[in-house]
Amino acid sequence: MIMIESFNSNFALKKNAEGKEYTPHFNNLTRSGLYFKNFYGNSIQTSKGQFATLCSLFPHSQKKVFSRFPHNKFRCLPTILGEFGYQTTFLKGYHDLSFDNTGNFMKTIGFKETFSTPDLLKDEVDPKHSWGWGIEDRFSYDELIKLMKNSKKPFFGLFHTVSNHINFDKVPVDQRL
């Protein structure tokens, strides 16, 4: 499962005035993957959206469940899939798994492994490939594919992208399109 930060349906499967698709790569994936034409976004905050999607519960209206209720025993998708023999892995492009208590909460709801891409790659990535809140997503995709290939079990992974979160002016000019 890929949760794309700051991505919405205003551009998916749509074209600009010149007839050019806004998201051609994503549009191609909709033909071969699992695509939901309608999805109710439960929050504009990442942790609230992840909580609702993984646990099938509405997020708290004022507080973040990850940090406000870190010890509750929610029965969520990673736990259920783990019971069916799946390897469950959470990968985040942002460098800090403690932000919003994300890493701990993901373990609490059943992810056996939690990683941040920058921690996995250490010094292997040139700093010019990090902007905004994290590392360029293609490095995370590569790491996710390695984790999937190395799994001896059926694999359920959640990858939370981050490079397009904010600071769009920091994206190198040659990579903006």
Side-chain angles (χ1 to χ4, degrees):
M1 179 184 293
I2 300 171
M3 297 186 102
I4 304 171
E5 191 68 53
S6 302
F7 185 82
N8 65 57
S9 65
N10 292 330
F11 300 100
L13 304 173
K14 301 209 169 87
K15 297 179 180 179
N16 65 17
E18 291 82 40
K20 213 171 177 187
E21 293 179 316
Y22 288 111
T23 58
H25 299 294
F26 179 83
N27 296 351
N28 261 345
L29 291 172
T30 64
R31 293 182 199 98
S32 61
L34 184 59
Y35 175 74
F36 297 93
K37 203 170 201 164
N38 296 305
F39 176 81
Y40 175 72
N42 307 84
S43 175
I44 61 166
Q45 288 183 320
T46 302
S47 63
K48 288 182 176 186
Q50 289 173 340
F51 175 73
T53 301
L54 293 169
C55 301
S56 295
L57 296 167
F58 285 108
H60 194 281
S61 63
Q62 298 168 358
K63 297 177 173 46
K64 296 175 184 176
V65 175
F66 286 18
S67 51
R68 181 70 172 97
F69 307 102
H71 303 295
N72 280 24
K73 298 295 180 197
F74 298 104
R75 185 165 166 75
C76 302
L77 185 59
T79 294
I80 295 165
L81 290 175
E83 291 169 359
F84 282 91
Y86 279 72
Q87 171 60 44
T88 55
T89 302
F90 174 77
L91 177 64
K92 184 175 186 172
Y94 186 57
H95 66 89
D96 186 1
L97 285 173
S98 68
F99 182 76
D100 279 345
N101 195 38
T102 301
N104 288 333
F105 192 82
M106 291 301 178
K107 286 181 180 176
T108 299
I109 64 166
F111 281 104
K112 296 296 182 210
E113 300 177 313
T114 58
F115 301 106
S116 77
T117 308
D119 287 344
L120 285 174
L121 295 175
K122 302 282 186 238
D123 300 321
E124 295 176 38
V125 177
D126 189 315
K128 73 180 180 187
H129 294 290
S130 291
W131 54 77
W133 281 32
I135 195 167
E136 187 180 336
D137 290 337
R138 69 183 168 111
F139 295 100
S140 297
Y141 285 118
D142 289 345
E143 290 305 304
L144 181 63
I145 290 167
K146 284 180 200 171
L147 292 167
M148 288 169 52
K149 285 182 176 179
N150 291 332
S151 180
K152 306 284 188 247
K153 302 177 177 181
F155 185 86
F156 172 72
L158 171 62
F159 167 41
H160 168 212
T161 70
V162 76
S163 71
N164 64 326
H165 188 281
I166 60 167
N167 293 339
F168 298 107
D169 59 333
K170 304 277 194 244
V171 177
V173 175
D174 64 331
Q175 294 186 48
R176 289 184 185 175
L177 292 177

